Amino acid sequence: MDNGLFITFEGIDGCGKSTQIKLLTGYLDEKGRDYLLVREPGGTVIGEKIRSILLDKENYEMSPAAELLLFEAARAQIVEEKIRPAVEAGKVVICDRFYDSTFAYQGVARDLGEDVVISLNDIATSGLAPDITFLLDLSVKDAFARRQGRGEADDRMELLGLEFQEKVRNGYLKAADKFGRIKVVDACRTPEEIFADIKAAVEERF
Ligand code: TMP
């Protein structure tokens, strides 16, 4: 049986995660590797309900602590229901965002405290950590331009604006300094160039 591999993708809104995840799943299909693709918040019936509460623009009164705990609640569910069983069954699990998002968005940008978030992340995951995390790093200006190009309406988090996104980016770079499993990938290049780095790092693990 293959060993499981848990891969997460992180970055500010508009950093190009979806494109890279599509390239990675295409590569795994070619190699015939079994994988599970999930996203956070969401990925389970309960988690998708929590996601709609978190991203609903009408919920502008949500307190930062309520926001933090809802992200962690969705995470506890997906780890127990989907991620841990799949990794234990030898699958590659790809998660579009995981707990470094909480470190950057709630811990740093919302200023709820890095150590508080690290402790809650540990409770929500019962200690399950990604094997590799790709942080797609891009300037806030470039990421905003990409989001504009997509023409989608902003959700509650995206409505927090560019200054907030700048804090999130700094939060991510702080996480990368702290946690060796995070690989910072320069996302200001073509999708193919970016994917070459990701593919090389994944191949090293096989
Ligand atoms: P998505 O648009 O990439 O699916 O992510 C939803 C939004 O939620 C995005 O703006 C990032 C934010 N988020 C947090 O603030 N904290 C978290 O822990 C997670 C997983 C996402």
Side-chain angles (χ1 to χ4, degrees), residues 16-68:
K17 280 183 289 108
S18 310
T19 305
Q20 292 305 317
I21 289 172
K22 214 173 269 167
L23 290 167
L24 180 57
T25 55
Y27 162 79
L28 293 173
D29 281 334
E30 268 172 33
K31 285 198 61 125
R33 266 302 296 243
D34 206 4
Y35 66 85
L36 171 74
L37 170 61
V38 285
R39 69 170 177 183
E40 270 220 47
T44 62
V45 172
I46 293 171
E48 289 294 327
K49 287 182 185 165
I50 297 174
R51 179 185 177 91
S52 62
I53 296 172
L54 276 164
L55 300 185
D56 185 347
K57 283 188 284 210
E58 301 296 312
N59 289 338
Y60 54 86
E61 285 175 320
M62 188 183 296
S63 82
E67 176 184 294
L68 167 63

Side-chain angles (χ1 to χ4, degrees), residues 61-79:
E61 285 175 320
M62 188 183 296
S63 82
E67 176 184 294
L68 167 63
L69 294 170
L70 284 171
F71 278 115
E72 296 292 0
R75 176 161 309 128
Q77 191 64 35
I78 196 172
V79 167

Side-chain angles (χ1 to χ4, degrees), residues 43-197:
T44 62
V45 172
I46 293 171
E48 289 294 327
K49 287 182 185 165
I50 297 174
R51 179 185 177 91
S52 62
I53 296 172
L54 276 164
L55 300 185
D56 185 347
K57 283 188 284 210
E58 301 296 312
N59 289 338
Y60 54 86
E61 285 175 320
M62 188 183 296
S63 82
E67 176 184 294
L68 167 63
L69 294 170
L70 284 171
F71 278 115
E72 296 292 0
R75 176 161 309 128
Q77 191 64 35
I78 196 172
V79 167
E80 177 160 326
E81 201 179 311
K82 299 260 171 96
I83 299 177
R84 189 186 296 281
V87 174
E88 284 177 0
K91 287 190 186 173
V92 177
V93 176
I94 303 166
C95 196
D96 182 347
R97 295 194 179 282
F98 195 59
Y99 59 20
D100 300 308
S101 285
T102 320
F103 183 92
Y105 282 79
Q106 281 69 47
V108 176
R110 287 281 200 209
D111 204 17
L112 291 171
E114 295 169 28
D115 291 340
V116 170
V117 169
I118 290 170
S119 300
L120 289 172
N121 284 344
D122 199 44
I123 294 171
T125 58
S126 315
L128 180 81
D131 296 299
I132 324 174
T133 298
F134 294 109
L135 168 56
L136 302 182
D137 184 52
L138 188 65
S139 75
V140 167
K141 206 172 109 246
D142 288 346
F144 181 71
R146 283 195 193 170
R147 270 166 52 203
Q148 295 282 86
R150 277 192 230 145
E152 288 167 11
D154 285 346
D155 62 36
R156 192 180 64 87
M157 298 303 294
E158 288 163 342
L159 283 171
L160 293 168
L162 298 191
E163 210 177 300
F164 185 79
Q165 293 287 326
E166 201 68 68
K167 289 185 191 163
V168 174
R169 184 184 185 198
N170 290 335
Y172 271 129
L173 293 172
K174 230 174 180 181
D177 275 345
K178 239 179 152 82
F179 309 114
R181 75 185 145 74
I182 300 182
K183 184 173 166 55
V184 183
V185 180
D186 174 8
C188 184
R189 295 175 293 164
T190 66
E192 292 72 24
E193 286 168 332
I194 299 168
F195 186 62
D197 288 358

